[in-house]
Each structure stands twice: as structure tokens, then as C-alpha cells.
Amino acid sequence: MVRIQCQNIKCDGCVKKINDALLEKYPTLRVDKAQQCVEVEAEGSEVELIKDKLRALGFLAPSGILGKMKGFLKL
């Protein structure tokens, strides 16, 4: 089981948005609103695909130096 720490999971609508995007392909997916994380049974490249999807949905900070700068500067 992989745990991916997320951000901005604030309501049941957020949980639904994540489930709608990922649950069909990853039936073990579990969204924890209180802990703001996603748990799923996945390996290697699957984890990266899940992270990419979460990033595109706005629940995971952009990666790399540009993403860190954006987060720091609130762009």
C-alpha cells in the first residue's frame, strides 16, 4: 500500500473528484480527507501515473524546482 500525501482535499466533492478520476483503474484507492492523503496498492510507474493525475486535479503540488518556487511564491 502506497500513501501519497496530498493538499486541498477539503470536502466530499474533492474526494468524489479523485474517486471519479482514479477509482475505476485503481479499485484499492482510498481517500483520507482528514489526513489529506490517498492510499492505493500500486507499484513503480503506476504510482507516478497516480501522482500525475492528482497533480493535474490540483491535489498534489507541482514537482521540480518550478513547482517549489510556485508554492513558495503562491503563483
Side-chain angles (χ1 to χ4, degrees):
M1 185 74 70
V2 175
R3 181 181 174 128
I4 302 169
Q5 192 63 46
C6 297
Q7 62 186 20
N8 301 322
I9 301 175
K10 305 206 184 284
C11 66
D12 290 336
C14 297
V15 173
K16 182 179 179 343
K17 192 174 185 180
I18 294 169
N19 283 337
D20 287 350
L22 294 167
L23 194 57
E24 186 176 326
K25 188 168 183 179
Y26 304 100
T28 62
L29 184 92
R30 187 174 136 308
V31 181
D32 186 331
K33 185 171 55 173
Q35 297 294 317
Q36 294 217 15
C37 70
V38 170
E39 294 180 342
V40 64
E41 288 190 31
E43 295 180 16
S45 62
E46 285 184 319
V47 173
E48 290 307 313
L49 291 173
I50 293 167
K51 286 181 178 182
D52 287 345
K53 190 64 169 178
L54 289 169
R55 201 171 286 113
L57 293 170
F59 296 111
L60 196 62
S63 62
I65 189 70
L66 183 58
K68 290 179 182 177
M69 288 174 53
K70 279 185 170 181
F72 181 74
L73 297 173
K74 307 257 192 267
L75 297 175

